[in-house]
Amino acid sequence: MSSVVIVESPAKVKTIEKYLGKQYKVLASYGHVRAFPKKDGSVDVDHNFELKYEVIPDKKKRLDAIEKALAKADTLILASDLDREGEAIAWHVADEMRLRGALKNKQIQRITFNQITKDAIQNAVAHPGELNLQLVDAQQARSALDYLVGFTLSPLLWKKIRRGLSAGRVQSVALRLICERELQIRAFKPREYWSIEARCLTGGVHEFDAKLHALENKALSKFALPDAKSAAAANARVQQGSFMVTDVEKKQAKQQPSPPFITSTLQMDASRKLGFTARKTMQVAQKLYEGVEVNGEPVGLITYMRTDSVSLADEALDEMRHYIDTVFGHDYLPAKARRFKNNSKNAQEAHEAIRPTYIGRTPEMMKTILDADGWKLYTLIWKRALASQMTPALLDQVRADLSSDDIVLRANGSTLAFPGFRKLYIEGTDDQSSPDGDRLLPKLSVGDAVKIENVESKQHFTEPKPRFSEATLVKELESHGIGRPSTYASILNVLRERKYVEMDKKRFVPTDVGEIVSQFLSQYFDSIVNTGFTAGIEDQLDEVARGERAWRPLLHEFWAPFKARVDDTQENVKRSDITHEETSEVCHECGKPMAIKLGRYGKFLACTGYPECKSARPIAVPGKEGEASEPAVEELSDQPCDACQGELVFKTGPYGKYLKCKACGNNQPLEKPKDTGILCTACNKGTFLEKKSRRGKVFYSCSTYPKCKNAIWNEPIAKPCPSCAAPFVTVKVTKRFGTQHVCVTEGCDWKETVEDAD
């Protein structure tokens, strides 16, 4: 017998084929092979939500190859990934082969494995199962819901706001969370408060800090010292006091290790510790899962990275415990293996957490094999998994009260009595400030005299919750039960691609367009884009996956009220209701009210008398840094137009600010581009000018553009090519080869390495 094995990624093909032998032909589907056509009607709401799929154009050749291989085989083995998407891909491949008649007299088997190792692959083939149609139904229901929301709301956004916008069932909730946080930040009113901190000395040599805790024997609340005057009075009283230690409280606390990674926590910690985006984290993890060559053998380095389970296999636990006992010693090994419980009621217990496939494959061993990003992420996964099975850390916590009459200073501190798992790994946090408890205190006893060396009054202001980072947004979505392991990276990426958000210091900031889209959806489709509804849909999809409910009734329940709301909004909401907001400001040219409008590049103020009055100016949105980008009232430049010597005005476009001629319409940059003086060989008329692309990358283009569109990325220099005698070569700098001179003439491959100057 011979078999055709279908996996998702081509990176797995050679490895799995080597493990299985010549009787197995392994082919890759390259992900999904069928999808809804990109047009309305793929989910037929009038015929019980019949789904219409079509083969993705570039996947036809993949399916042709599978059909051809099946002609010589007895069995089709579906080995796509072990999540809902993987189950759906397997079903689509099998269904397409059935439609082609390629499965006559063939067996169909479904296998799954959470790591690409020889034992795991061979064990999966030895114990095949069947397609889980409940998971397929859940995935189809999710796709249908997302399709219905997207293809119904997106055209509405086009008509009511602007073309090219999109809405999504989950992405719109994420956008709403970001926008609501931004509104909270803008509305926040800081509140002043003060603290008193004393530098103390005991025993003549040991210094430590203590904070004012009580006055007149009453504990101070956060806002007990609301201004500089009250702080100065308290400061003076502390300086005049004579303090001694009146109470010392010591206790030992255990700090337990975190569970091994699941998808969301991996994305969070990779963001905090490595600066990776969720998308990059998943891309790097995918490569680690698919594997690399180690000592001439292809091997997967981690278990499957799309999981919401914190469970670990018994053999993995045994392996880790043996490693801990051998390398760290018996003190770091708990009496029994630690088993974590899943917080999510819908976590798939059959899956494992993310861990190394073999704990003996240490980060040190992999440093020369993996690239920098792969090694960093592998190290993170390796340490977190191993640390989860180590003993708790022991912290000696000390609290000391220093009293003088009715004044009490309090000092807090802690010391690490035993590192336990902290010897290997400490979970990242979003708050980088160091708490008081991390301070080290000297040995203090009741009755010890304490000298006050210095007293400092510190002013503070309350702060709003910070904007979401990738880590905190994933955490927020997960806390509401929104999204699933495979969706977080794509959700965040879509928000950026649609330009609904920008990143400022690795935090999400909504754009003007993003805010208006979110405001529109929240106002008219609150029941769709609220966290409770979206989380409820996830629960219902999980019920479908468990076989507890059918998927078509779920779509019926959703569609009727949703479509009614869309129709009502379409008919009764005007575009101006959404994109125009009148203000109390008056136009300085005609006296009519000014309105906030949404332009191509953001919000701006424009006269309501348009088109008779074209007065407009930028508007700064409270809480946002920088200027708004809509063109202002015409501001003249002192430069003349290069084309006709006419007046130039400042404008703003997608590439930033530029100058435009009022007379002839010629556009020119604010600053003249640097001329390299190198003659363009395409037209022999212009010279190469140094310019910047939209993304800020430097390139060199002919000065006669647009007549000549010749452009190159690397800087040209006046040095003839010694090979083909071209009049110039370019300077190319790479990490691998350093600085090189390279000829760009077609057909000439001359290059030479240049010694970099010290």
Side-chain angles (χ1 to χ4, degrees):
M1 290 181 65
S2 60
S3 301
V4 176
V5 182
I6 307 301
V7 296
E8 289 185 40
S9 169
K12 303 175 187 176
V13 170
K14 287 186 179 179
T15 304
I16 295 175
E17 212 163 47
K18 187 171 183 178
Y19 291 154
L20 293 179
K22 295 181 179 179
Q23 288 184 317
Y24 295 86
K25 175 67 175 175
V26 185
L27 297 171
S29 71
Y30 288 74
H32 279 279
V33 296
R34 296 195 308 197
F36 295 137
K38 292 184 178 179
K39 59 184 179 181
D40 198 9
S42 295
V43 180
D44 192 342
V45 296
D46 297 323
H47 294 87
N48 199 25
F49 297 94
E50 193 66 32
L51 306 181
K52 301 173 184 177
Y53 293 106
E54 68 178 14
V55 172
I56 300 170
D58 64 350
K59 299 301 174 65
K60 183 180 180 300
K61 59 184 178 181
R62 310 295 175 197
L63 291 167
D64 290 344
I66 295 171
E67 182 182 10
K68 183 178 179 180
L70 272 174
K72 303 175 184 178
D74 306 299
T75 306
L76 173 63
I77 301 178
L78 303 164
S80 48
D81 292 344
L82 64 162
D83 55 10
R84 287 182 200 169
E85 293 294 316
E87 206 71 27
I89 289 170
W91 177 79
H92 279 293
V93 169
D95 193 54
E96 184 64 24
M97 290 301 106
R98 179 185 60 79
L99 293 173
R100 294 183 177 206
L103 293 180
K104 290 180 180 178
N105 303 318
K106 311 286 184 186
Q107 284 188 332
I108 302 176
Q109 297 177 351
R110 172 75 169 120
I111 65 169
T112 58
F113 39 83
N114 76 328
Q115 56 186 6
I116 302 178
T117 59
K118 188 173 183 178
D119 288 345
I121 301 298
Q122 291 181 344
N123 184 61
V125 171
H127 302 89
E130 297 179 351
L131 275 169
N132 186 332
L133 296 181
Q134 295 169 357
L135 287 183
V136 175
D137 286 348
Q139 193 277 337
Q140 289 195 108
R142 175 191 288 276
S143 296
L145 277 170
D146 291 343
Y147 179 91
L148 290 172
V149 171
F151 269 80
T152 308
L153 279 185
S154 296
L156 190 62
L157 292 177
W158 288 27
K159 292 179 180 178
K160 302 302 180 183
I161 301 177
R162 74 154 62 140
R163 292 184 65 82
L165 301 178
S166 75
R169 185 178 57 86
V170 179
Q171 84 179 47
S172 298
V173 180
L175 177 61
R176 180 174 182 171
L177 291 172
I178 292 169
C179 291
E180 286 180 346
R181 177 63 58 87
E182 193 71 18
L183 291 174
Q184 291 168 8
I185 291 171
R186 291 177 197 166
F188 184 82
K189 291 181 171 53
R191 186 175 175 185
E192 181 183 8
Y193 66 99
W194 289 71
S195 65
I196 308 297
E197 189 165 308
R199 190 65 176 165
C200 306
L201 186 68
T202 182
V205 292
H206 301 295
E207 288 188 324
F208 63 98
D209 293 324
K211 285 186 176 181
L212 179 62
H213 174 68
L215 276 176
E216 298 176 358
N217 293 321
K218 292 182 180 179
L220 297 179
S221 64
K222 183 175 183 176
F223 299 103
L225 305 176
D227 49 40
K229 183 178 179 181
S230 59
N235 187 309
R237 290 199 61 189
V238 172
Q239 291 190 50
Q240 295 165 7
S242 178
F243 289 87
M244 64 180 293
V245 179
T246 55
D247 184 43
V248 178
E249 183 181 295
K250 298 179 181 179
K251 61 180 180 180
Q252 192 170 78
K254 283 185 179 181
Q255 185 181 8
Q256 300 289 346
S258 300
F261 283 128
I262 59 175
T263 305
S264 58
T265 54
L266 175 64
Q267 291 173 1
M268 290 179 210
D269 237 27
S271 173
R272 294 162 179 153
K273 292 190 169 188
L274 307 180
F276 287 6
T277 63
R279 188 181 187 190
K280 180 176 180 178
T281 298
M282 297 310 290
Q283 288 173 337
V284 176
Q286 179 79 34
K287 292 178 182 178
L288 295 176
Y289 168 66
E290 291 170 353
V292 297
E293 289 253 340
V294 179
N295 299 325
E297 287 287 328
V299 61
L301 298 180
I302 64 170
T303 54
Y304 192 53
M305 65 286 163
R306 291 186 179 90
T307 177
D308 52 7
S309 170
V310 292
S311 301
L312 292 173
D314 288 341
E315 58 267 26
L317 292 173
D318 292 341
E319 192 180 272
M320 291 179 189
R321 287 177 60 79
H322 176 73
Y323 186 93
I324 293 167
D325 197 22
T326 304
V327 176
F328 293 94
H330 197 66
D331 289 343
Y332 289 86
L333 183 69
K336 59 182 181 180
R338 185 178 286 108
R339 298 183 186 273
F340 295 92
K341 291 183 178 180
N342 288 297
N343 292 324
S344 171
K345 63 181 178 181
N346 296 315
Q348 301 178 66
E349 299 291 347
H351 293 185
E352 270 196 87
I354 306 169
R355 63 168 175 84
T357 55
Y358 173 51
I359 204 68
R361 202 173 286 117
T362 65
E364 290 73 22
M365 292 171 57
M366 302 306 300
K367 193 162 190 177
T368 57
I369 296 173
L370 296 171
D371 61 24
D373 288 339
W375 182 78
K376 289 176 185 176
L377 194 65
Y378 179 77
T379 301
L380 204 65
I381 292 167
W382 188 91
K383 287 186 174 182
R384 172 87 164 221
L386 190 62
S388 75
Q389 294 305 311
M390 296 174 74
T391 51
L394 298 179
L395 299 171
D396 286 334
Q397 297 179 335
V398 181
R399 190 195 76 192
D401 284 350
L402 325 174
S403 301
S404 174
D405 297 328
D406 60 353
I407 305 172
V408 179
L409 302 177
R410 177 165 287 179
N412 291 294
S414 66
T415 57
L416 190 62
F418 178 70
F421 74 91
R422 289 172 63 114
K423 188 178 182 72
L424 186 63
Y425 182 87
I426 302 174
E427 184 177 11
T429 62
D430 298 301
D431 181 7
Q432 300 302 319
S433 61
S434 179
D436 291 339
D438 287 343
R439 295 176 179 176
L440 188 64
L441 294 180
K443 184 177 180 181
L444 298 172
S445 301
V446 173
D448 287 348
V450 177
K451 180 182 178 182
I452 305 299
E453 288 198 307
N454 180 55
V455 183
E456 186 178 359
S457 302
K458 292 185 177 181
Q459 184 185 34
H460 310 276
F461 291 93
T462 55
E463 295 182 351
K465 287 184 178 180
R467 291 166 173 156
F468 286 109
S469 65
E470 282 215 349
T472 55
L473 184 56
V474 168
K475 187 175 182 180
E476 185 77 7
L477 290 168
E478 188 181 46
S479 71
H480 288 291
I482 297 171
R484 284 297 177 262
S486 60
T487 64
Y488 293 125
S490 61
I491 291 168
L492 306 188
N493 193 53
V494 165
L495 292 177
R496 281 188 287 256
E497 285 186 345
R498 296 293 181 186
K499 301 193 184 303
Y500 289 166
V501 298
E502 297 171 337
M503 301 304 290
D504 179 21
K505 299 175 182 176
K506 297 186 177 181
R507 301 272 174 171
F508 288 102
V509 184
T511 61
D512 289 339
V513 174
E515 287 193 55
I516 287 180
V517 168
S518 182
Q519 182 180 334
F520 169 70
L521 294 175
S522 298
Q523 183 174 350
Y524 298 104
F525 296 92
D526 179 68
S527 61
I528 302 299
V529 297
N530 71 58
T531 54
F533 171 82
T534 308
I537 287 289
E538 296 292 354
D539 288 340
Q540 292 175 55
L541 290 171
D542 287 325
E543 289 172 4
V544 174
R546 295 192 296 266
E548 296 170 5
R549 69 176 296 167
W551 65 277
R552 292 181 196 271
L554 186 158
L555 296 182
H556 277 288
E557 291 172 15
F558 165 80
W559 177 249
F562 173 64
K563 184 62 166 64
R565 189 63 183 143
V566 169
D567 292 342
D568 180 67
T569 306
Q570 178 86 355
E571 184 176 346
N572 298 315
V573 178
K574 296 183 294 185
R575 182 171 185 167
S576 58
D577 294 339
I578 304 159
T579 59
H580 294 195
E581 180 186 346
E582 286 205 16
T583 70
S584 58
E585 292 194 43
V586 176
C587 175
H588 67 281
E589 292 187 12
C590 72
K592 290 185 178 180
M594 299 287 281
I596 298 173
K597 296 186 179 183
L598 178 66
R600 187 176 179 185
Y601 308 119
K603 291 180 179 178
F604 67 104
L605 271 174
C607 180
T608 54
Y610 181 88
E612 288 77 16
C613 178
K614 298 181 180 179
S615 175
R617 64 180 177 80
I619 180 172
V621 180
K624 284 191 176 181
E625 297 178 2
E627 298 179 311
S629 55
E630 185 65 25
V633 177
E634 288 186 348
E635 180 184 351
L636 293 177
S637 167
D638 55 4
Q639 293 185 49
C641 172
D642 289 343
C644 71
Q645 301 301 303
E647 288 184 321
L648 295 173
V649 294
F650 289 95
K651 295 286 185 179
T652 304
Y655 298 91
K657 289 189 175 181
Y658 65 99
L659 297 171
K660 188 178 186 72
C661 180
K662 295 180 66 175
C664 70
N666 176 49
N667 294 340
Q668 65 187 61
L670 294 180
E671 296 180 4
K672 295 289 182 68
K674 175 185 172 184
D675 193 338
T676 65
I678 305 295
L679 185 68
C680 172
T681 52
C683 66
N684 291 317
K685 293 181 180 179
T687 55
F688 284 106
L689 304 180
E690 181 182 296
K691 297 183 179 181
K692 282 189 177 181
S693 70
R694 184 173 183 174
R695 298 183 180 274
K697 187 174 181 181
V698 174
F699 70 100
Y700 302 84
S701 68
C702 182
S703 58
T704 64
Y705 179 85
K707 291 182 179 179
C708 176
K709 297 182 179 179
N710 188 25
I712 54 178
W713 285 113
N714 299 319
E715 180 185 3
I717 57 173
K719 174 181 178 179
C721 173
S723 177
C724 70
F728 71 88
V729 295
T730 63
V731 180
K732 185 175 182 179
V733 181
T734 61
K735 289 183 179 180
R736 184 174 182 183
F737 299 109
T739 303
Q740 292 182 307
H741 287 169
V742 180
C743 182
V744 294
T745 304
E746 188 174 352
C748 181
D749 57 0
W750 178 86
K751 64 179 67 173
E752 70 174 4
T753 300
V754 181
E755 291 292 332
D756 293 328
D758 292 333

